[in-house]
Amino acid sequence: MLENKNIILGVCGSIAAYKSATLVRLLVKAGANVKVILTADAANFITPLTLATLSKNPVYTQYFDAETGVWSNHVELGLWADYMLIAPASANTLAKMATGICDNLLTAVYLSAKCPVLFAPAMDLDMWKHESTQHNIQQLQTYHNQLIAPGSGELASGLYGEGRMAEPEEIFSFLEALISQHLPLKGKNVTVTAGPTYEAIDPVRFIGNHSSGKMGFAIADQLATLGATVTLISGPTAEKSLHKVNRINVTSAADMLEACTAAFTQTDIMVMSAAVADYTPVKKETQKIKKHTEEFQLELRKTTDILATLGAMKKDHQLLIGFALETENEEVHAKAKLLKKNLDLIVLNSLNDKGAGFKVDTNKITIFNRAAEKTVFQTKSKTEVAKDICTEILKLVARS
Ligand code: CTP
């Protein structure tokens, strides 16, 4: 969720400044680009070197370097930020922000920033309770700045009470929750299938395929990153899903059918990227089959086409996305599957394309929609391909 988000962290003079190191680590670990601005007082509590090392960016402390004359452009920094976080926010800086006083780099960037601003106050309990502080906080909220309320506990003065800065983990979760409110798939239930299915022949053997599940897992991760509530129905695979994805493990095509039909009524968007077996043994032997005969025939029965089943169940508000894996006459087959299975999008993979298909980290796709529009993509990593597929899904969501 925080991946590639630009975040300015403003740190004020407070003993809680030491916690900004943990906060920077959490943000960087989540993939955010972090630039830290320290007030002059903050630099007495935590060194620029610590925060520069953790953020992997230079730390800004003043408008310009007196020795070199190098100038830190506050307007540029303000516009760079997707989010501005002030933690710890001292009573002094809150007062300046509330009244528009702009006497240091942090307050200048605050006035220049157009992005959402969050502030986590830290001060002694009487400073926190003071009417002027409370008035300033209310004022800041009328400017749509978000308060991350302090907690109670032992304060630096030795007194107990309210004023202790929220813990870095709480600040991080607050920011994540704020971002998720604005995500395009917030409130959407999405179901993704991935991986192969295994069709048992006897207790030790099965019919399977080479699907690794990588593509479906990348799609599930990307949809979750876009704010959807994601259920991932996966066949046997070594892939790992994001913790926020609700994973259901299945083995056979019949298991997958059952899980998909159960999930479908609650699903807004269904992406069927699993490589479901088309045939399953008519009979599963209960004991291991012995090699008594020179020749051996296995009788197979067609499995239920899950995608076509869901296509027949589909309501107007639901979107159904399928895949087509082809080796010849690709476009004709893909378009036919789109119509026959009542899909909104079909993603075509051709095994004739280099870098496409099973067990590789790349894929090359072409997407067709119901309006017969065709979008051809270059060979990319499966993560990038997942993003392209999700972009096409977002276009459909925007239209619906
Ligand atoms: N699919 C499915 N249930 C099946 C078989 C396939 O839901 N029993 C889905 C796949 O997940 C994929 C789409 O159907 O999204 C197309 O799968 P593909 O193997 O390309 O084609 P099939 O429809 O199985 O047809 P064929 O194998 O004849 O090309």
Side-chain angles (χ1 to χ4, degrees):
M1 193 176 299
L2 279 156
E3 206 172 74
N4 296 324
K5 292 277 182 293
N6 293 339
I7 295 171
I8 295 224
L9 174 64
V11 181
C12 305
S14 155
I15 182 61
Y18 82 91
K19 294 185 182 176
S20 57
T22 308
L23 184 54
V24 171
R25 274 210 74 209
L26 290 170
L27 295 168
V28 169
K29 220 170 143 202
N33 307 311
V34 181
K35 292 187 179 176
V36 180
I37 304 174
L38 294 181
T39 63
D41 264 356
N44 293 322
F45 287 97
I46 186 156
T47 69
L49 180 61
T50 302
L51 296 172
T53 309
L54 292 170
S55 68
K56 303 184 175 78
N57 273 313
V59 165
Y60 302 83
T61 51
Q62 48 205 355
Y63 281 109
F64 68 96
D65 186 318
E67 276 175 24
T68 61
V70 171
W71 184 57
S72 301
N73 186 336
H74 57 280
V75 177
E76 215 168 76
L77 279 166
L79 295 179
W80 174 83
D82 295 315
Y83 293 91
M84 183 167 184
L85 195 55
I86 300 161
S90 64
N92 183 36
T93 295
L94 291 182
K96 289 182 194 175
M97 286 162 62
T99 50
I101 293 175
C102 176
D103 64 351
N104 62 24
L105 182 64
L106 174 53
T107 46
V109 172
Y110 165 70
L111 284 182
S112 307
K114 291 189 171 159
C115 61
V117 176
L118 300 87
F119 62 101
M123 61 198 74
D124 212 62
L125 79 163
D126 293 319
M127 294 170 79
W128 170 250
K129 277 191 200 147
H130 198 283
E131 277 182 10
S132 65
T133 306
Q134 291 304 316
H135 174 78
N136 288 335
I137 285 171
Q138 277 173 20
Q139 192 62 41
L140 287 172
Q141 288 174 304
T142 65
Y143 304 153
H144 304 292
N145 297 326
Q146 305 264 341
L147 166 69
I148 307 175
S152 287
E154 189 181 353
L155 302 165
S157 60
L159 299 171
Y160 280 83
E162 219 177 343
R164 202 159 83 166
M165 186 178 83
E167 292 303 323
E169 291 76 10
E170 293 172 272
I171 297 172
F172 179 82
S173 302
F174 193 102
L175 179 61
E176 267 201 330
L178 180 80
I179 295 174
S180 79
Q181 277 171 25
H182 299 108
L183 291 174
L185 293 179
K186 178 81 187 160
K188 296 279 181 203
N189 287 326
V190 173
T191 304
V192 180
T193 66
T197 63
Y198 286 179
E199 309 304 315
I201 298 170
D202 67 13
V204 289
R205 303 177 181 97
F206 60 85
I207 301 172
N209 60 63
H210 291 300
S211 170
S212 63
K214 283 181 200 292
M215 194 64 251
F217 276 65
I219 294 169
D221 285 359
Q222 184 57 23
L223 290 166
T225 304
L226 290 168
T229 303
V230 180
T231 300
L232 174 64
I233 301 172
S234 174
T237 159
E239 289 296 304
K240 290 196 170 58
S241 42
L242 288 182
H243 68 277
K244 57 190 165 195
V245 166
N246 165 34
R247 181 162 167 183
I248 300 173
N249 291 324
V250 296
T251 306
S252 66
D255 298 341
M256 192 170 274
L257 172 69
E258 195 183 327
C260 287
T261 47
F264 195 58
T265 45
Q266 301 301 319
T267 294
D268 300 301
I269 304 166
M270 176 99 199
V271 184
M272 190 77 206
S273 58
V276 186
D278 288 329
Y279 290 91
T280 191
V282 170
K283 192 164 171 238
K284 180 192 162 192
E285 297 297 338
T286 50
Q287 303 302 327
K288 185 182 171 203
I289 301 168
K290 293 287 179 193
K291 52 177 189 297
H292 292 313
T293 55
E294 279 308 306
E295 283 182 10
F296 176 77
Q297 259 107 37
L298 194 59
E299 204 181 342
L300 301 177
R301 178 185 297 132
K302 222 183 201 176
T303 57
T304 304
D305 190 315
I306 304 170
L307 195 53
T309 307
L310 301 179
M313 290 166 67
K314 186 162 82 99
K315 301 271 188 296
D316 284 349
H317 73 278
Q318 292 178 302
L319 294 175
L320 188 56
I321 293 96
F323 278 68
L325 178 64
E326 307 295 342
T327 55
E328 40 93 37
N329 227 354
E330 293 92 338
E331 194 165 328
V332 173
H333 287 310
K335 283 179 175 167
K337 284 178 190 172
L338 174 86
L339 296 178
K340 197 171 134 207
K341 303 191 190 193
N342 192 22
L343 310 181
D344 297 283
L345 289 179
I346 192 149
V347 182
L348 166 66
N349 295 293
S350 168
L351 280 192
N352 294 322
D353 286 324
K354 231 176 127 224
F358 296 125
K359 290 196 170 159
V360 286
D361 288 326
T362 55
N363 202 358
K364 175 157 178 31
I365 59 161
T366 305
I367 298 183
F368 299 91
N369 64 17
R370 287 186 85 83
E373 288 162 348
K374 168 181 170 182
T375 316
V376 182
F377 297 88
Q378 298 305 310
T379 305
K380 297 179 181 182
S381 72
K382 285 187 175 166
T383 309
E384 291 304 311
V385 171
K387 287 184 186 165
D388 288 338
I389 293 169
C390 291
T391 303
E392 295 303 308
I393 292 174
L394 286 179
K395 285 185 198 164
L396 289 186
V397 171
R399 274 185 229 157
S400 61

